[in-house]
Amino acid sequence: LGSVIFVLLMIWFHTSSLYLALMGMLQIMLSFPLTYFIYYFIFQVKYVSQMHILSVFIIIGVGADDIFVFIDAWHQAEVVLGAVSVLERLSWTFRRASKAMLVTSITTACAFYITASSEIMPISTFGIFAGTLILVNYALVITMFPCNLMVWHRFWRIRPWRKCLKKQQEPEVASPQHSATCALSRSLEHDPVAGSDPDAKVTDGMCTCNDAALSVQYRPIERFFRGPWNTFMHKTRYVNMIFAAALLGVCIWLATKLEPLTDDEEWIPDSHPSQRSGNWMSDNFLISGTSSSYLRVDVSWGVLGLDRSDADKYDPRDIGEVIWDEEFSLLSAANQQAVLDACNELASNGDLVVEREGAVQCWVQDYDFYVNNLKPGTPGFVDFDSEDALANDIETFLQYNNTEGSQPYVRYLDSEQVGIETLEDGSKQLRFFFFRFLTSHRNSLPYERMYPVIEKWDAEVSRLNAKNPAGVNNALSSGGDVWPFLITQNTLVDNSFLGMGLAIMIAFVALIFSTLNVVTSILSTICVGGIVVSVLGCIYLYGWELGIIETVAAVIIVGFSVDYVVHLGNAYVESSHEHRFDRTRDALTDMGVSVLYGAITTAGAGAFLFGPVLLFFPKFGALLMTTIAFSFLWSMVLFVSALHICGPNGNFGNLRPAASRLWNKITKSCCGCCACCGSRSGDTKDISADGTDTRNEDSVDGTEV
């Protein structure tokens, strides 16, 4: 709620209109139900988690940035076009703003859609939802916001809130002669040839229309970026590039030192009372009161795995079909003795099982005691003639009543450590069973420390399978939810780096298509990579390791690293000037204000994440604000300096001629194919060079045959 109110106030301040602020925030919030409709009914994804809630902080930052881009273009249209109709002004604003927003929306959405390919279902579904949310917001901002802007322009534009105490007058409309003269001066400024002299003046007796005069019509902050900021960046461009190279080198070195977690994952601060009590219990008592905190390993027989080919990957409850071990059998006494020996060997292995009472739960040990001391008849294990006889004997053991009237072995049935199935013909069959062992390793150990434990258990169970007889030689070891979580943790680390790399590649492709300039695209991509590497370096400086919180947050914020650089890169290429100094000035004038306010709103929204106790939210807020800070630094300082040094002049690096030739070839080929097909069609006209229909026609009474 605090983030929403802060962004609302920022939009109100920037637009000077409470109406536009409320309508803009409503438009952003409407993105959620529309996205959920697409997500649920079209994509058929029904999974929603707490992670999806984080998209609120994403969309209010992106949505506010789009609003700033549109409203800034609207204000700048008055400067560029002069006294024109509202329709012409809106048309110019729409063309410029919609393209700028489209490029950043595509790059950000693709960065999230990359995560949709993740093997981790919650991350995958979040990527689908967030990517769709970005595109829906773009559709709303180019449809709803122009309409609201026209309503504001029609009724409330002369009453901005910052001047509410002063009566406003309707702005005067310039005379046709004045408008024509100033329009001529603007054409001189933006024309690459005629406007090459920045001191050129056109005077009509009422105003002096040169660059200095034109800049007065911009808002103060636009004049700041157009003048002092651009000049300062030009003067310090080489120093800034040295700093950029040093920053990039240091951050790459710091990023290479990042490692997966080497200690327990922390979800609440150590200073929190519950965390302090848990740490005290874990440090002073191995099991008592906290047995669930330690790893329990199950060694099972009768099950080979799960078939998830027909399972719904977006439904956590659909785990698939069990693959049964059809060769599993305990009919022979030798097999019964083999599983008993396996239990004893595992229980005596001090590296695997903790030495304490209750650490081993093997029903076959109690079954061995039962058949030797309590069961009437021949003592010891015996061969059974049928599965039904074996199942009935084991079931009798599990339901055995002692002299005190209690059932000491029924706990194995209650905990489902023994699975007996009743078949259609009424007979019974032992389907599976497992032994449970308690280890001295905590459940929360990171991947680097827990994976060697997994390897030890797998190696020991494989050794037992190699020596056991047929029927009991397909045992499996499992750590419950702990081992899949470890694999998830490792996959998250891999996916985070993969996602960052793919996001940078997508940004480069999007820039190539939007700017059609190789040099600008390469410079922009280098800066985007610099942002990502800088954030990774800060993660190391914060003293964090790549745990669940850091990797999930890194996947989320990677989309934010491309917007500001892409805005400036597109604006640079779209400038009509020839020299890089003037083109950089135009880029800062057009997009500097939008980048600044977008950074303030997104960082301000992230600041409210420091309130919750759960560490995920403060860490996500810190990474979000770090990303925004480096995005602003790399875009408004380092990228601008790079443009001043090696930004393309004129048509250097321009792919438009080649793209035009390619497009002409494609269209000619398509037209040729259509003409060829048309010549074979009986109802196609033959057109001469002068456009006359030369098809031979036979007519009767003027009717075409």
Side-chain angles (χ1 to χ4, degrees):
L1 180 60
S3 300
V4 172
I5 294 175
F6 175 80
V7 174
L8 175 66
L9 294 177
M10 286 301 302
I11 298 176
W12 185 7
F13 176 81
H14 186 63
T15 61
S16 300
S17 169
L18 179 60
Y19 172 78
L20 288 180
L22 291 174
M23 292 299 102
M25 188 56 64
L26 175 63
Q27 158 216 306
I28 295 173
M29 292 296 106
L30 283 177
S31 302
F32 283 94
L34 295 176
T35 300
Y36 186 74
F37 177 85
I38 299 172
Y39 178 80
Y40 190 91
F41 292 102
I42 298 179
F43 293 157
Q44 293 292 305
V45 181
K46 300 176 175 59
Y47 179 81
V48 177
S49 68
Q50 297 171 338
M51 191 174 178
H52 290 63
I53 301 175
L54 293 175
S55 57
V56 173
F57 302 97
I58 296 173
I59 199 59
I60 59 177
V62 173
D65 180 64
D66 289 345
I67 291 174
F68 295 149
V69 170
F70 201 97
I71 197 69
D72 290 338
W74 170 259
H75 287 305
Q76 293 161 12
E78 187 176 16
V79 179
V80 175
L81 301 180
V84 296
S85 66
V86 174
L87 181 60
E88 291 177 303
R89 183 179 175 185
L90 179 63
S91 176
W92 185 92
T93 301
F94 188 88
R95 288 196 305 271
R96 202 193 79 176
S98 61
K99 179 183 178 182
M101 294 184 296
L102 177 63
V103 177
T104 55
S105 297
I106 289 177
T107 53
T108 305
C110 288
F112 288 120
Y113 280 135
I114 288 171
T115 63
S117 60
S118 174
E119 299 176 357
I120 304 171
M121 188 269 290
I123 301 292
S124 174
T125 55
F126 171 79
I128 297 173
F129 185 85
T132 307
L133 187 64
I134 297 297
L135 297 180
V136 170
N137 174 76
Y138 172 75
L140 290 178
V141 79
I142 63 174
T143 53
M144 286 186 60
F145 193 75
C147 300
N148 291 318
L149 183 62
M150 289 298 96
V151 172
W152 168 81
H153 182 77
R154 175 66 178 84
F155 296 103
W156 295 303
R157 75 182 187 279
I158 61 174
R159 296 290 296 176
W161 73 272
R162 286 175 291 185
K163 300 179 182 179
C164 60
L165 299 180
K166 180 180 178 181
K167 184 176 181 180
Q168 299 292 317
Q169 300 293 331
E170 185 74 24
E172 298 181 359
V173 179
S175 65
Q177 295 82 3
H178 177 273
S179 300
T181 305
C182 290
L184 175 60
S185 69
R186 293 185 186 96
S187 66
L188 290 174
E189 182 200 17
H190 290 278
D191 185 79
V193 177
S196 58
D197 183 5
D199 297 325
K201 298 181 180 180
V202 179
T203 306
D204 63 352
M206 293 188 298
C207 69
T208 300
C209 296
N210 58 7
D211 186 65
L214 286 172
S215 64
V216 176
Q217 301 180 44
Y218 284 111
R219 292 171 294 175
I221 193 168
E222 290 169 335
R223 295 199 300 270
F224 169 75
F225 284 120
R226 182 178 181 84
W229 185 266
N230 183 53
T231 303
F232 180 74
M233 289 297 104
H234 181 263
K235 292 179 179 179
T236 60
R237 59 191 184 278
Y238 295 109
V239 176
N240 292 337
M241 284 297 94
I242 295 174
F243 171 76
L247 176 64
L248 187 62
V250 171
C251 289
I252 290 176
W253 174 69
L254 293 175
T256 57
K257 298 173 71 66
L258 282 174
E259 295 180 354
L261 279 176
T262 57
D263 205 349
D264 296 356
E265 181 90 43
E266 293 184 357
W267 297 97
I268 54 178
D270 289 333
S271 59
H272 195 272
S274 61
Q275 183 66 26
R276 292 172 61 186
S277 62
N279 292 340
W280 183 83
M281 291 290 292
S282 299
D283 294 338
N284 294 276
F285 299 95
L286 176 62
I287 300 298
S288 178
T290 58
S291 59
S292 60
S293 300
Y294 289 84
L295 175 65
R296 294 181 180 271
V297 178
D298 297 335
V299 180
S300 58
W301 281 264
V303 177
L304 296 179
L306 290 173
D307 180 11
R308 294 184 54 83
S309 57
D310 296 329
D312 184 359
K313 63 176 295 186
Y314 300 120
D315 185 359
R317 297 167 297 181
D318 189 357
I319 63 173
E321 298 292 332
V322 177
I323 304 175
W324 300 106
D325 182 7
E326 301 300 338
E327 298 180 357
F328 166 66
S329 175
L330 275 185
L331 292 177
S332 66
N335 285 6
Q336 299 165 30
Q337 185 63 46
V339 296
L340 176 61
D341 294 340
C343 172
N344 293 332
E345 289 186 38
L346 292 172
S348 61
N349 191 329
D351 293 336
L352 301 179
V353 182
V354 65
E355 296 181 6
R356 70 173 302 274
E357 184 179 355
V360 178
Q361 297 181 27
C362 289
W363 67 270
V364 74
Q365 289 181 331
D366 291 328
Y367 181 67
D368 178 56
F369 177 82
Y370 168 79
V371 298
N372 281 286
N373 300 282
L374 302 176
K375 179 183 177 182
T378 304
F381 296 129
V382 297
D383 295 333
F384 290 91
D385 296 332
S386 64
E387 292 287 347
D388 184 63
L390 171 65
N392 285 322
D393 189 73
I394 295 176
E395 198 170 54
T396 302
F397 149 71
L398 296 173
Q399 297 175 354
Y400 170 76
N401 291 298
N402 59 18
T403 56
E404 298 177 356
S406 63
Q407 294 179 317
Y409 309 129
V410 75
R411 67 181 186 274
Y412 297 117
L413 275 180
D414 295 338
S415 61
E416 299 181 343
Q417 294 187 32
V418 180
I420 298 177
E421 179 184 13
T422 301
L423 304 180
E424 295 181 357
D425 58 0
S427 62
K428 297 180 179 180
Q429 179 182 2
L430 177 64
R431 261 302 188 181
F432 71 92
F433 68 84
F434 65 85
F435 303 149
R436 177 163 291 170
F437 303 93
L438 185 64
T439 72
S440 59
H441 306 285
R442 293 182 183 176
N443 289 332
S444 56
L445 284 180
Y447 179 85
E448 294 297 325
R449 295 176 58 184
M450 183 64 79
Y451 190 72
V453 178
I454 299 176
E455 290 181 323
K456 287 182 180 180
W457 275 99
D458 288 343
E460 186 64 18
V461 172
S462 298
R463 185 187 66 82
L464 294 175
N465 286 335
K467 76 171 190 175
N468 282 349
V472 289
N473 60 344
N474 289 322
L476 297 175
S477 60
S478 171
D481 295 334
V482 177
W483 289 2
F485 181 77
L486 289 174
I487 298 173
T488 299
Q489 187 184 68
N490 189 56
T491 304
L492 273 175
V493 175
D494 295 338
N495 286 352
S496 63
F497 287 104
L498 177 63
M500 291 177 184
L502 290 177
I504 294 173
M505 292 176 58
I506 289 176
F508 177 74
V509 174
L511 282 163
I512 284 290
F513 278 98
S514 63
T515 65
L516 290 177
N517 191 287
V518 177
V519 178
T520 306
S521 300
I522 292 176
L523 292 176
S524 302
T525 305
I526 293 174
C527 289
V528 171
I531 297 170
V532 173
V533 172
S534 299
V535 174
L536 292 177
C538 282
I539 292 178
Y540 179 80
L541 291 179
Y542 294 157
W544 300 346
E545 295 176 317
L546 291 177
I548 300 296
I549 300 175
E550 290 78 13
T551 51
V552 170
V555 170
I556 294 174
I557 65 174
V558 69
F560 284 105
S561 61
V562 301
D563 287 2
Y564 303 154
V565 175
V566 170
H567 276 322
L568 292 172
N570 275 287
Y572 180 90
V573 174
E574 290 174 356
S575 173
S576 59
H577 284 92
E578 290 288 326
H579 194 267
R580 59 174 63 100
F581 179 87
D582 299 323
R583 303 181 83 173
T584 306
R585 180 191 61 190
D586 289 345
L588 287 172
T589 305
D590 295 344
M591 289 297 172
V593 183
S594 302
V595 170
L596 175 62
Y597 276 89
I600 293 175
T601 53
T602 307
F608 289 91
L609 290 171
F610 288 94
V613 176
L614 194 63
L615 284 179
F616 179 85
F617 295 100
K619 283 190 174 182
F620 177 71
L623 285 176
L624 180 59
M625 296 181 71
T626 302
T627 303
I628 296 303
F630 277 113
S631 296
F632 187 85
L633 172 66
W634 277 93
S635 60
M636 294 295 291
V637 178
L638 305 181
F639 180 60
V640 169
S641 300
L643 291 177
H644 275 304
I645 294 175
C646 51
N649 285 325
N651 290 323
F652 183 76
N654 192 0
L655 298 177
R656 293 181 186 274
S660 299
R661 288 194 296 269
L662 179 61
W663 177 253
N664 291 333
K665 289 182 179 180
I666 294 175
T667 53
K668 287 180 179 179
S669 299
C670 294
C671 293
C673 293
C674 294
C676 181
C677 295
S679 64
R680 298 174 183 176
S681 175
D683 59 350
T684 303
K685 294 182 178 181
D686 296 330
I687 308 298
S688 64
D690 59 356
T692 307
D693 184 3
T694 60
R695 185 186 61 179
N696 293 328
E697 296 179 354
D698 295 329
S699 60
V700 179
D701 297 332
T703 303
E704 181 180 320
V705 180

